[in-house]
Amino acid sequence: MKKILIIAFLFTTTISFSQYYKTYNWEENPKLHELTENENSKSSIAILKKNIVEFKQSAITNNISVYETTHSIIRVNDDTGIAKHNQIYISMYNVKKIKGIKARTISKEGKVTNLDENNIKQIENVEEYGDFQIFAIEGAKIGSEIEVLYTVEKEFSPFGSKTLQFDYPIKRSEMVFITNNLTGNIKTYNTDQTFDRTYLEDKLIEELVLTDIPATVEEDYATNDANKIYVVYQCFGNPDLTQEDFWNNIISNIASGFFPEKAAKVTTEEVEKVILKNQKSDISLYTKANLLENYIKNNFTVIDNRNPQANEIDYILKNKSASEYSILKAYAHFLKAMQIEYQVVVTANRFEHKFDPDFYNPNALREFMIYLPEIKQYISPTRIDYRLSEAPSNILGNYGIFINKDVEYYFAKITQYDPDYSRIKRVMDISFSDDFDKVIIDEYQEYSGHWGIQNRAFMTLASGQQKEDFKDQLTGSGIEDKNLIKFEVENEDMNQTEYNLPYIVKSITNSSALLEEAGDSYIFQVGKVIGIQSELYQEKERVHPIEMQYPNQYNYTITVDIPKGYTLEGLESLEINKRMEVDGELLCKWLSEYEIKDDKLIITIEESYYINEYPIEHYEAFRSVINAASDFNKAAILFSAE
């Protein structure tokens, strides 16, 4: 009798805390929803997007299961909308079981077509994203609604996230977060609305309701993906865990492999016999670190290999191969052997995730760098294009966690130390053929900072037509009928050891397309010699904050020969002065001026972006500076016969 009572108690306990997905369902008799004229003008619009995430701990084993339910109702108003939504992909990543899939379409006439479960297929490794369950929506026509409801049981992970904004508008978005008395946290991003604590069927839940979410907008100078509305959550069995505990845990794991007490013997030998061989004893720290990075990137291979041995330092050093993560161990041992102080930095690609020091999210811990505090420079271990430098452009501006050898850490924004790091200097001498048929451009260019790094890498790694197309970019893109007569580069080796050595391009080109006859006179499209420029002429209101790739500056000197017997008209188009100041601080500018000296027209241009993040409320001023380059590109002057 006692055993029966215990079993009965466990059964009733399980029932009282039954998973919410088991009772959640769609409307038994669906009807089309009323939409406004504007909503019906969209290719597709989600009437409902609902996510339910529920954690459930077994009363018997204490194992924790995760159940995720997705429910969507989407109106498709044209063929584009149908094409976007008529195939459903369900990721099987970490999925233990599918607890149920239902789908149906409701036509304009009210006809309901249900999913035939025999049409559900499993496809392995879809475009390297893993396995998926896939099925086609049946009966989808213009004006119909597509409704999908499914639940998956997933392997337990205490961390997760959900994206709530997509490339189509959403009338109502709901998210329900249920921990069933386990400790949990949840946080919203890119929206002012937060989760409310309430009760649902006697369960304490966190609930978020958003209405009228606009479709995502792709804008230039923005981190579009990272700006989507999304949530990040945590749920774990230990009620005493804090955010600090999470950070301390990951830091202790990192420190165990990335800060060795003693360098491996082979690294000490390689430093002495190879890396620093024939080097003077007083070489700079910058040169030493660069020699080390050149050595590793020329001799070690980063592989996508799940072999556990690839994480062991002996294996890594012997085979000179490692994973993206474990290659840092090789750097650590060599840095130790060279007695170079360093810190490990963990962060995220800012175009994908904005690192949040206040909420632990492992998805935002995907990028590792090595920081040398004495010279304030970074090693990017997995970037074959970069050598010791400022932080790469996809990292710059994000927050990161910095860890030193004493397992002390701090959070900091990853900023650019050298304000003049990235700059393009161009000197152009422009002349004309004797019969005024061709424009001849003799050009000298210096690319420093990120410009130099990227150009070196592309010209080294590219081949064939890609390389030819890039030469076109480097010698005045967009000039029709351009002939490349001379093209030379200097400082092209990716293995540089001198700080910020510029990548130099020397070229001579000619083109007849830049000149147009006008009777006895000629129109010279002088603005086109600077190449195609970015522009921001959108009429819609700006949505995203402004983010440049990196701070950068341009300095041009364009000297144009004035043939005898001609005077110049239309020079006013060369004078453009645009600037953006905030609280008295100059943040960016364009200034183009000219002077005539002897028989030459001398044009000078200074374009500067001193920071990489700009306040959205000053977007119009920023746009005017960006568009100044495009306006100059359209400038033309008249050579008028005397």
Side-chain angles (χ1 to χ4, degrees), residues 39 64 71 106 228 236 415 475 498 613:
E39 290 167 344
I64 300 174
H71 183 196
I106 303 97
K228 293 177 181 178
F236 34 88
T415 57
T475 56
E498 182 179 329
E613 296 175 280

Side-chain angles (χ1 to χ4, degrees), residues 151-402:
T151 298
V152 295
E153 180 184 357
K154 303 185 76 172
E155 300 284 353
F156 171 69
S157 169
F159 311 106
S161 63
K162 290 289 180 185
T163 300
L164 303 183
Q165 189 174 21
F166 301 91
D167 59 354
Y168 50 88
I170 301 170
K171 281 178 64 67
R172 184 179 178 88
S173 175
E174 300 177 13
M175 182 161 178
V176 179
F177 181 60
I178 307 171
T179 62
N180 284 310
N181 296 325
L182 295 170
T183 302
N185 302 301
I186 192 162
K187 187 173 182 178
T188 60
Y189 292 86
N190 302 317
T191 176
D192 293 331
Q193 291 184 245
T194 58
F195 279 79
D196 292 325
R197 182 164 291 187
T198 185
Y199 282 91
L200 178 67
E201 298 180 0
D202 297 327
K203 291 176 181 288
L204 183 63
I205 68 166
E206 301 278 353
E207 184 177 36
L208 177 71
V209 177
L210 302 174
T211 57
D212 299 322
I213 300 176
T216 53
V217 175
E218 293 291 321
E219 292 180 321
D220 292 330
Y221 306 105
T223 56
N224 296 295
D225 286 341
N227 292 342
K228 293 177 181 178
I229 299 172
Y230 66 99
V231 301
V232 177
Y233 54 85
Q234 306 164 342
C235 183
F236 34 88
N238 185 345
D240 298 323
L241 282 175
T242 65
Q243 301 301 315
E244 186 177 0
D245 292 328
F246 290 134
W247 291 119
N248 287 333
N249 180 63
I250 189 172
I251 287 158
S252 63
N253 289 337
I254 289 171
S256 65
F258 296 161
F259 294 100
E261 292 185 8
K262 185 178 180 180
K265 182 180 178 181
V266 65
T267 61
T268 304
E269 294 173 349
E270 289 292 285
V271 167
E272 181 182 342
K273 297 178 181 179
V274 181
I275 299 175
L276 297 182
K277 184 180 180 181
N278 300 325
Q279 297 292 327
K280 296 180 180 178
S281 59
D282 61 347
I283 63 171
S284 69
L285 173 58
Y286 183 89
T287 300
K288 285 174 66 176
N290 248 317
L291 289 168
L292 165 60
E293 188 171 11
N294 289 338
Y295 172 78
I296 291 181
K297 287 186 174 174
N298 289 325
N299 292 279
F300 282 69
T301 303
V302 176
I303 57 175
D304 183 14
N305 191 332
R306 297 182 181 179
N307 179 359
Q309 283 187 303
N311 292 314
E312 297 173 4
I313 188 61
D314 292 339
Y315 178 92
I316 293 168
L317 296 176
K318 179 181 178 180
N319 295 279
K320 289 186 166 54
S321 67
S323 67
E324 287 190 354
Y325 175 77
S326 61
I327 190 66
L328 271 80
K329 294 181 180 180
Y331 279 94
H333 278 262
F334 278 104
L335 287 165
K336 184 75 174 180
M338 297 176 79
Q339 299 181 335
I340 296 176
E341 181 186 353
Y342 65 95
Q343 297 174 4
V344 171
V345 184
V346 190
T347 184
N349 181 335
R350 67 184 168 104
F351 293 95
E352 298 174 356
H353 293 282
K354 296 303 173 76
F355 184 99
D356 182 1
D358 297 323
F359 199 94
Y360 179 80
N361 175 16
N363 286 329
L365 304 175
R366 300 293 180 86
E367 300 285 344
F368 288 78
M369 295 188 299
I370 296 169
Y371 178 60
L372 307 186
E374 187 175 335
I375 56 177
K376 296 180 172 59
Q377 297 288 290
Y378 294 87
I379 293 172
S380 302
T382 62
R383 292 288 296 267
I384 191 63
D385 50 343
Y386 271 80
R387 296 297 185 268
L388 188 65
S389 65
E390 300 280 359
S393 59
N394 66 321
I395 301 298
L396 187 66
N398 217 346
Y399 277 86
I401 185 167
F402 291 69

